[in-house]
Amino acid sequence: MYGRSAFVLITLLLVFSSCKDEDKALYKVIRLSSHWQVFPAASTSSAGNIIASDQFQITDQWYKASVPSTIMGTLVDNGRYKDILAGNNIHNADTSLFRQSWWYRTTFHQAPLREEQHAFLQLEGISYYANIWLNGTLIASRDSIFGAYRRFELDITPYIAKDNILAIEVFGAQPGDPNIGFADWNPRPCDENMGIFRPVSVIVTGDTKLSNTAIKTKVNTQTLGEAWLTIETEVENLSAQNSKGVLNGKIKPDISFSYPIQLSARERKKLTLTAKDIPELHITQPRIWWCNNLGKPELYDLELSFSKNDTLSWADTITFGIREIESHITESGHREFTLNGHTVLLKGAGWTDDIFLRDTPADNERQMQMIKDMNLNLIRFEGFWGTSSSIYDLCDRYGIMSIAGWCCQWEWDTYYGKPCNDQYGCIQTDEEIGLISRSFKDQVRWLRNHPSIIAWMPGSDMLPAPKLEERYLTFLEEEDNRPYIGAAKARASILSGATGTKMAGPYEYAGPNYWYTDKNHGGAFGFNTETGIGAQLPVIESLQKFIPANKLWPIGEEYNQHCTASAAGMNSLDVLTEVINSKYGEASSLEEYLQRADLINYDGTRAMFEAFRVNLSNSTGIIQWMLNSAWPSLYWQLYDYYKVPTSAYYGVKKANKPLQLIYNYGDNSIYAVNESLVNVENYKAHIRIYDIHSKLIDEHIVKVNLKDNTSAGILSLDPMRQNLFISMELQDISGKVIADNFYAISHIQDEYDWNATNWMRTPLIAYNDFKDLAALSAVRLEHAVQREEKRDITTFKVTLKNNSSSISFFNMLKIKNGHAELIPSAVWQDNYISIEPGQEKTIECTVKTDDVKDQSVFIELKGWNGQTYRFR
């Protein structure tokens, strides 16, 4: 009894103490994300009721909303536009609704401010102009609140009440405004992404606040055994009296420090703390942040606060990573990066947000998992994408490096909406330069603590105007220490020097041998910042969601509407159809067309990445254009709008395994590549060569010894006189297969009209010939499935055995539920696989358990030379 009474007493004391501590804290954050309403300005006759009263009439033009959001995204989510992304609907949508202003409105509660408290409204992203009203008072107008990439902090201390009404009137961007841009990737959003597309918060603080905190790291790259941190922050005294307090910092688990600060009345100053000021900022045996496939992306949290008289005035937690990123221009003129002293080949793809900016943290994490699964290590953000910091937080956690910058939509008058300069794009006037330099500063300050961001790239096709670039460089010299690249294209700036990059295409079909044979354009040398093979078709289940059922076959205009929005080309499937007809013969059905398109996509995209890896000594980076799609698309995607992999996904995954055997289409040889951090010794390459009738005609076992970050030729093949299959396995010293690869190779090479090369592609004048693949013997594989269910993840182990004497070529696996629908969370260990005579393979597929719980599930298999069949 005594023990229980003591426990109750201690509990009451703890609660009382906690309440006292909370009572002493002056700092608070109110996230205004839910319970918003959106409506067009024309739907109400009384602005007074909107901005200052709860007494207003709800009409059918008022919509439930959240923030972040756009007006179009909100209307679609509320059912105003049906099937807007299907067929030609988006091109025919009524856009007159967006020629007027729209209101966002919400309410929030805040206890009366104490004498020493202050309140600020933080707006992280509005497109494009806004009037801001709080409790009936206009606190900022569209004359000052404009620019999609500006971040605003408004002092609302005089206007905040116990119960508050926040009303924001947004106005859409006009031609000539540097707005959110998609260029030619997809149709323009009907509302031009008008809305509040990033978070809104109210920050309550004491009379001292911190802002723009940055953590810079320096690593001993020779030993990786020590690192130095620099903490920078701006400290501001909001009161009219002199002030002194303590800056407290804690880096878990065992680093903490305190630093006294004195401020004059209304003083704001930048504080820079190094190991000279705080010895704890010199860290021994640090946990290092590495990119995918090189190590673990270790992260730290800095808890930073300011207290005055033991009262918390401001607090924040900053996540950061300890890493050293450097960039230089090689002797060949190519930009190369090192991470923690280790040269790293950048292997990535170009990101886009959803067309209506509706990506969620869960969507972003699903995509990040897929990026890591493909063995990629970088995303290029052409545009400071994201409706929050979510995507950058995930890059940090998953070890995916990134390069961020502005979109080329600001460099071409067709997209920008006003005449532009052929050398420096559309940001030309002093007013524009002022806006974009402030916007750049806002974005860099927002993102600079992310270790995943390895460079800023403020130009895409063109350099910034010198006056603008001078502002960029001056700001970065003072506030950020990572590399700056003036443009994605090969350019030379009078201020920042050569970019060391190239953007010479192709963006339309190129055969696998292109990447090895081209020495002047997009081939495997240097840092190719955006390139790809054009059309990359989704699976038929995705096509059926946006192509009308009666238009699925033959290929027609409905497909062309979902190619790119470029007027110059890439706006139809004509090139892909020509390639299919020339290589394999004309398809007789949609299923046959897709199967051949999948093989073209797999082989072409795989070879693109493989060639850059084979040429490690002269290649520094390759960015697939693109990674994902803003809307249901047929071009430039490793996975489709519905997050279903295209065949390229698995080709890229295969190409980028850290240790891999690769067929060199340029010199008809086999290469071994080692991009790990350790040397390889006494490994074996087992290479088998079959003719088109699956007869084994040659076999080789080659010892592989390879230093880290190296590629080397290990076997030259005899000249080809017929089409062949080549199977390769890399085995470690225990005989375990750690990587495999399989090719169908034509003895006839693709030939190119190099003199006709343009920015989109180099046309082909002759194609290799795979028509004999149509005559492969039919094979039916033996199969078995094991299901292992855990709380969150269920794994299906699919074992396939080929008991025939023929190769089972290019087998596509799908997993479906009882309604014959694809399971959305499915990730295959491997896919589009070929199985040799007598060979057995087990392929795992993981899915979210919730997606298959209490459901009938079956595997669907479609082989090149076999019928589609299903099994459980």
Side-chain angles (χ1 to χ4, degrees):
M1 189 69 181
Y2 176 81
R4 183 178 177 184
S5 299
F7 173 78
V8 171
L9 177 61
I10 292 170
T11 301
L12 290 172
L13 288 171
L14 288 173
V15 169
F16 179 71
S17 175
S18 175
C19 291
K20 285 182 63 180
D21 289 343
E22 184 177 340
D23 189 57
K24 290 179 68 176
L26 302 176
Y27 180 77
K28 179 182 179 181
V29 179
I30 305 171
R31 311 284 184 193
L32 303 180
S33 56
S34 57
H35 307 300
W36 288 81
Q37 294 159 324
V38 165
F39 45 94
S43 69
T44 179
S45 58
S46 175
N49 284 341
I50 296 171
I51 63 179
S53 173
D54 284 326
Q55 307 300 315
F56 56 87
Q57 182 179 3
I58 301 294
T59 73
D60 60 1
Q61 294 190 63
W62 292 54
Y63 304 94
K64 291 182 179 180
S66 59
V67 167
S69 65
T70 65
I71 299 300
M72 187 64 186
T74 298
L75 296 183
V76 171
D77 290 344
N78 278 272
R80 177 66 184 265
Y81 290 87
K82 301 292 186 183
D83 298 322
I84 187 65
L85 301 181
N88 198 30
N89 293 345
I90 197 170
H91 301 281
N92 297 325
D94 177 14
T95 60
S96 62
L97 279 174
F98 312 113
R99 297 180 194 138
Q100 60 183 307
S101 61
W102 281 70
W103 288 96
Y104 278 81
R105 186 185 189 277
T106 192
T107 60
F108 66 95
H109 175 82
Q110 163 60 36
L113 297 180
R114 306 178 200 175
E115 181 179 356
E116 65 270 41
Q117 281 185 305
H118 303 259
F120 298 87
L121 179 66
Q122 286 192 345
L123 307 166
E124 299 191 35
I126 294 181
S127 179
Y128 186 82
Y129 304 86
N131 292 323
I132 316 294
W133 298 79
L134 182 63
N135 300 327
T137 300
L138 180 67
I139 60 172
S141 71
R142 60 175 295 172
D143 294 336
S144 59
I145 306 298
F146 65 91
Y149 294 99
R150 289 300 320 279
R151 305 177 80 231
F152 300 97
E153 185 176 85
L154 306 175
D155 189 346
I156 58 173
T157 306
Y159 315 110
I160 197 168
K162 180 179 179 182
D163 295 301
N164 299 275
I165 298 172
L166 176 64
I168 301 178
E169 185 181 13
V170 296
F171 303 80
Q174 301 301 307
D177 287 332
N179 192 30
I180 301 162
F182 293 88
D184 58 356
W185 315 335
N186 46 263
R188 295 182 81 129
C190 305
D191 63 345
E192 298 291 343
N193 289 138
M194 173 187 185
I196 307 176
F197 72 96
R198 283 183 180 155
V200 175
S201 304
V202 172
I203 310 296
V204 178
T205 178
D207 59 19
T208 304
K209 67 187 292 281
L210 308 179
S211 58
N212 299 321
T213 300
I215 303 171
K216 301 175 183 178
T217 65
K218 181 73 176 175
V219 177
N220 182 336
T221 57
Q222 298 298 314
T223 67
L224 303 183
E226 57 181 341
W228 298 264
L229 307 185
T230 297
I231 299 173
E232 296 178 351
T233 191
E234 294 178 18
V235 190
E236 182 177 7
N237 179 7
L238 302 171
S239 73
Q241 292 81 36
N242 294 344
S243 175
K244 62 180 180 179
V246 178
L247 181 71
N248 296 302
K250 183 176 182 180
I251 302 174
K252 294 182 178 179
D254 55 4
I255 298 174
S256 59
F257 60 87
S258 296
Y259 190 83
I261 297 175
Q262 297 189 38
L263 297 168
S264 302
R266 309 294 185 192
E267 182 182 6
R268 181 185 182 119
K269 69 179 180 181
K270 183 176 180 180
L271 184 67
T272 300
L273 300 175
T274 70
K276 293 180 180 179
D277 308 294
I278 300 173
E280 290 85 354
L281 298 183
H282 174 225
I283 300 177
T284 57
Q285 301 305 314
R287 295 181 288 109
I288 301 293
W289 188 93
W290 287 99
C291 69
N292 187 30
N293 282 334
L294 284 186
K296 188 176 180 182
E298 297 280 4
L299 295 172
Y300 290 82
D301 289 324
L302 168 65
E303 296 175 0
L304 197 65
S305 63
F306 186 88
S307 296
K308 181 180 176 183
N309 298 325
D310 294 326
T311 300
L312 181 66
S313 181
W314 182 270
D316 200 2
T317 298
I318 301 101
T319 300
F320 68 99
I322 295 177
R323 60 99 177 97
E324 183 90 4
I325 191 73
E326 295 179 307
S327 173
H328 61 274
I329 305 297
T330 68
E331 293 182 2
S332 301
H334 308 315
R335 183 170 295 274
E336 185 172 71
F337 282 82
T338 60
L339 176 62
N340 304 320
H342 181 86
T343 301
V344 57
L345 175 66
L346 305 182
K347 302 182 294 290
W351 175 278
T352 178
D353 278 5
D354 173 79
I355 189 171
F356 304 136
L357 306 188
R358 295 179 297 172
D359 291 313
T360 66
D363 291 333
N364 289 341
E365 182 148 26
R366 164 72 171 151
Q367 295 185 74
M368 194 60 58
Q369 290 165 346
M370 297 174 80
I371 294 163
K372 182 175 181 178
D373 184 57
M374 283 187 282
N375 295 306
L376 297 177
N377 62 17
L378 182 131
I379 296 172
R380 181 184 166 205
F381 294 103
E382 187 183 329
F384 286 96
W385 287 113
T387 56
S388 70
S389 66
S390 162
I391 187 62
Y392 304 97
D393 296 337
L394 290 164
C395 284
D396 295 341
R397 281 175 43 203
Y398 281 87
I400 305 299
M401 298 179 291
S402 60
I403 293 175
W406 300 126
C407 177
C408 69
Q409 179 153 316
W410 301 357
E411 297 173 341
W412 302 102
D413 51 11
T414 302
Y415 305 116
Y416 192 67
K418 59 163 276 188
C420 299
N421 182 284
D422 290 340
Q423 188 175 5
Y424 300 120
C426 308
I427 310 302
Q428 302 175 55
T429 67
D430 288 345
E431 182 180 6
E432 290 168 336
I433 287 171
L435 171 62
I436 298 307
S437 63
R438 289 192 297 272
S439 298
F440 183 76
K441 182 183 295 186
D442 285 350
Q443 298 305 296
V444 170
R445 283 177 168 172
W446 174 48
L447 296 174
R448 61 184 169 175
N449 289 314
H450 292 278
S452 56
I453 298 178
I454 63 169
W456 307 114
M457 188 183 282
S460 180
D461 301 37
M462 303 176 190
L463 290 165
K467 187 184 292 188
L468 176 58
E469 186 173 42
E470 183 177 20
R471 296 194 185 189
Y472 289 158
L473 295 173
T474 299
F475 165 71
L476 291 175
E477 184 178 3
E478 295 177 357
E479 302 213 26
D480 195 67
N481 61 345
R482 76 199 75 204
Y484 168 95
I485 309 172
K489 200 167 186 175
R491 302 285 190 186
S493 164
I494 59 175
L495 296 174
S496 59
T499 62
T501 57
K502 67 174 184 177
M503 209 176 78
Y507 297 89
E508 187 55 280
Y509 178 76
N513 66 332
Y514 170 89
W515 309 100
Y516 292 91
T517 56
D518 172 66
K519 306 299 181 186
N520 300 305
H521 308 290
F525 59 92
F527 181 12
N528 196 337
T529 59
E530 54 179 70
T531 190
I533 68 164
Q536 294 176 304
L537 302 191
V539 296
I540 192 169
E541 291 83 358
S542 293
L543 285 174
Q544 290 167 341
K545 294 181 179 181
F546 64 93
I547 301 294
N550 63 342
K551 301 294 185 181
L552 281 167
W553 185 257
I555 304 296
E557 180 60 27
E558 287 73 20
Y559 283 82
N560 297 343
Q561 295 291 341
H562 288 266
C563 295
T564 80
S566 173
M570 305 167 295
N571 46 31
S572 77
L573 292 182
D574 291 350
V575 170
L576 176 61
T577 300
E578 177 187 337
V579 175
I580 289 174
N581 294 346
S582 300
K583 287 179 180 283
Y584 306 105
E586 187 173 345
S588 60
S589 66
L590 177 59
E591 289 75 10
E592 196 169 78
Y593 187 94
L594 291 177
Q595 187 180 56
R596 295 174 184 187
D598 284 345
L599 182 55
I600 289 167
N601 188 13
Y602 184 98
D603 281 350
T605 312
R606 174 179 61 171
M608 178 176 71
F609 280 94
E610 287 181 340
F612 276 79
R613 298 188 71 205
V614 163
N615 292 338
L616 269 176
S617 61
N618 195 37
S619 63
T620 58
I622 169 66
I623 307 297
Q624 145 84 16
W625 204 249
M626 301 176 63
L627 171 71
N628 54 354
S629 292
W631 82 312
S633 176
L634 305 175
Y635 259 74
W636 301 341
Q637 56 189 354
L638 298 180
Y639 50 87
D640 67 25
Y641 181 72
Y642 309 102
K643 314 299 184 292
V644 179
T646 70
S647 63
Y649 178 101
Y650 293 99
V652 170
K653 182 176 181 177
K654 183 77 68 176
N656 287 313
K657 287 184 73 70
L659 296 169
Q660 185 56 289
L661 299 175
I662 293 172
Y663 174 75
N664 185 325
Y665 284 86
D667 63 11
N668 190 35
S669 66
I670 308 298
Y671 271 68
V673 180
N674 176 14
E675 282 192 87
S676 73
L677 292 176
V678 297
N679 298 339
V680 165
E681 294 182 355
N682 296 319
Y683 280 35
K684 290 181 181 179
H686 192 181
I687 300 154
R688 296 178 291 274
I689 301 174
Y690 297 86
D691 68 13
I692 200 66
H693 304 293
S694 301
K695 179 183 177 182
L696 182 64
I697 60 175
D698 207 353
E699 189 169 11
H700 303 271
I701 296 178
V702 182
K703 183 179 288 188
V704 176
N705 295 312
L706 206 57
K707 292 183 178 179
D708 67 290
N709 205 40
T710 308
S711 69
I714 62 170
L715 178 67
S716 295
L717 301 180
D718 294 334
M720 288 192 184
R721 295 179 176 83
Q722 59 178 319
N723 289 359
L724 299 173
F725 294 115
I726 302 177
S727 172
M728 295 182 273
E729 293 178 341
L730 181 63
Q731 301 172 355
D732 64 15
I733 56 176
S734 70
K736 179 183 177 182
V737 176
I738 59 171
D740 64 351
N741 225 337
F742 191 95
Y743 299 84
I745 305 295
S746 173
H747 68 291
I748 301 173
Q749 290 273 9
D750 286 328
E751 295 183 31
Y752 300 87
D753 185 356
W754 299 108
N755 293 327
T757 299
N758 57 35
W759 70 271
M760 286 184 291
R761 68 179 300 215
T762 299
L764 277 78
I765 54 178
Y767 292 92
N768 54 29
D769 190 344
F770 284 108
K771 295 183 181 65
D772 52 7
L773 287 177
L776 293 180
S777 299
V779 176
R780 186 174 181 90
L781 299 170
E782 285 190 5
H783 50 78
V785 181
Q786 286 184 305
R787 177 171 175 163
E788 297 179 357
E789 189 167 310
K790 295 184 179 179
R791 187 180 65 178
D792 298 323
I793 297 295
T794 294
T795 301
F796 294 86
K797 294 183 178 180
V798 181
T799 299
L800 302 173
K801 187 173 182 180
N802 184 359
N803 286 323
S804 78
S805 59
S806 298
I807 290 170
S808 181
F809 179 59
F810 205 61
N811 293 277
M812 176 175 57
L813 290 157
K814 298 176 181 177
I815 185 166
K816 296 185 174 183
N817 61 25
H819 302 290
E821 300 166 330
L822 289 175
I823 295 174
S825 60
V827 175
W828 288 92
Q829 179 186 23
D830 197 4
N831 212 335
Y832 300 88
I833 60 174
S834 297
I835 305 180
E836 300 159 59
Q839 190 177 41
E840 179 179 288
K841 286 189 176 183
T842 298
I843 303 99
E844 293 187 359
C845 180
T846 58
V847 301
K848 290 182 179 178
T849 297
D850 287 345
D851 288 346
V852 295
K853 203 167 189 177
D854 303 322
Q855 286 195 38
S856 174
V857 174
F858 64 86
I859 309 298
E860 183 176 283
L861 186 146
K862 168 66 174 174
W864 185 277
N865 49 326
Q867 299 297 315
T868 300
Y869 53 100
R870 298 172 174 178
F871 53 90
R872 288 184 168 84

